[in-house]
Amino acid sequence: QVQLRESGGGLADSGGSLRLSCEATGTFVSLEVMGWYRELPGTQRELVATISQEKSTNYADSVKGRFTISRDNAKNTVYLQMNDLRPEDTTVYFCYADGTLYYASHVLQTYASHNFWGRGTQVTVSR
């Protein structure tokens, strides 16, 4: 089981900055990929940025050069530094993790990968 808790959302001026944090807790073995998604008005949930355990990153074209994702593996925490914010960035941002869990009993011992989502944190950018 993995629980994701986001923080750092809030209100920023156009051109301003915010830093989102997401801490993962639970009984997972590892978190191979962590990242951030968002739901823009009238759209499906879309990728903002992801980062692997090896620190390989992937960004949406709309945030390249403005947002930076990072992670602290020791703290099981992923961050999203958002600079040069625009009003169109306004939405709820969801933390994501791809975690490997270990299940063990007298009859079964296995690893399994599952996707987990945080509750979301609101980001609002004023015009």
Side-chain angles (χ1 to χ4, degrees):
Q1 183 62 53
V2 176
Q3 298 83 44
L4 304 176
R5 296 191 292 271
E6 303 105 330
S7 62
L11 177 65
D13 296 328
S14 181
S17 299
L18 288 172
R19 183 171 182 261
L20 306 183
S21 299
C22 174
E23 182 182 9
T25 59
T27 58
F28 53 86
V29 176
S30 62
L31 300 174
E32 283 71 37
V33 177
M34 301 185 74
W36 296 91
Y37 288 71
R38 67 187 182 184
E39 293 180 350
L40 298 177
T43 68
Q44 298 175 307
R45 183 172 296 184
E46 66 176 24
L47 179 147
V48 177
T50 60
I51 183 168
S52 71
Q53 194 169 35
E54 296 74 34
K55 307 297 179 68
S56 177
T57 60
N58 184 33
Y59 294 93
D61 289 340
S62 61
V63 307
K64 287 181 179 178
R66 299 190 297 123
F67 294 5
T68 302
I69 190 169
S70 61
R71 65 186 287 171
D72 186 333
N73 291 334
K75 297 180 179 179
N76 296 315
T77 300
V78 63
Y79 306 93
L80 186 67
Q81 179 66 48
M82 304 184 293
N83 297 326
D84 192 23
L85 284 164
R86 305 165 181 171
E88 51 263 41
D89 295 320
T90 296
T91 189
V92 177
Y93 286 71
F94 297 89
C95 183
Y96 163 87
D98 180 1
T100 297
L101 279 62
Y102 180 66
Y103 302 88
S105 70
H106 288 285
V107 298
L108 178 67
Q109 301 87 42
T110 188
Y111 293 90
S113 181
H114 300 279
N115 297 334
F116 299 92
W117 296 93
R119 294 178 179 178
T121 184
Q122 177 70 48
V123 170
T124 302
V125 184
S126 63
R127 296 183 178 275

